Amino acid sequence: MATWSNFNFQNSTSPLMEQIIFFHDHTLIILIITTILVSYLMMSLFFNKYINRFLMESQMIELIWTILPAITLIFIALPSLRLLYLLDELNNPLITLKSIGHQWYWSYEYSDFNNVEFDSYMTQFENNNNFRLLDVDNRIILPMNNQIRILITATDVIHSWTVPSLGVKVDANPGRLNQTSFFINRPGIFFGQCSEICGANHSFMPIVIESISIKNFINWINNYS
Ligand code: CUA
């Protein structure tokens, strides 16, 4: 989860989020190199006394400063497209979780397991026993090391099911069923929030995932009443 003055991404919980972080770092390096180069060029242009009254055009320099940025952009565009299509892929999911956005809470359905369903409301913060503004009464329980499909929809307005450490951010639209998938590669509790401005209590419909072993997951789903 994000803690105070957390400037970077949260630690990844899925292979796809790891790739997203790598892509972010790659793009940031290109950005820093470009910024330094351009500011150096501007500085040296401002602070010199060279004058050439007859320089009106130069085909060669214009050719260079058109092609160089174009090549740089390709180095960002190709990995970006690779990631985009990788995120869209669905690799034989083991279970499907349906997540429904409401004003202002999420509800979940495990359609594969006798349609287990429950609402997930934010809980009041008390005595440092839970996570302020991030904890819910009924958490999503999911098995780690398994491909999971998530179907996302809403009943009233547009919400957005967003869990940063998984690299998932999908809008929940009324009348539409969106699909994405992820693979949780470690146990733990992972937090998310709605990220579509959906009304007065938009900030108070968090998402909590408890990632546990498949054995404990089967135990949980069997004993669900
Ligand atoms: Cu639901 Cu913002």
Side-chain angles (χ1 to χ4, degrees), residues 187-214:
I189 307 171
F190 310 115
F191 295 91
Q193 283 179 301
C194 176
S195 65
E196 181 71 59
I197 311 295
C198 58
N201 291 324
H202 157 68
S203 320
F204 310 115
M205 46 183 300
I207 298 151
V208 186
I209 298 175
E210 262 186 58
S211 164
I212 58 177
S213 70
I214 184 101

Side-chain angles (χ1 to χ4, degrees), residues 16 84-99 147-154 161 167-173 175-182:
L16 282 174
L84 192 67
Y85 286 109
L86 222 48
L87 287 167
D88 215 32
E89 202 79 55
L90 204 66
N91 323 289
N92 299 314
L94 181 82
I95 65 170
T96 300
L97 173 72
K98 192 191 284 173
S99 137
Q147 197 67 38
I148 292 153
R149 163 167 48 199
I150 174 147
L151 300 172
I152 299 163
T153 186
W161 200 86
V168 174
K169 180 175 184 294
V170 177
D171 272 14
N173 291 273
R176 192 187 152 85
L177 197 61
N178 283 323
Q179 170 184 265
T180 188
S181 78
F182 53 79

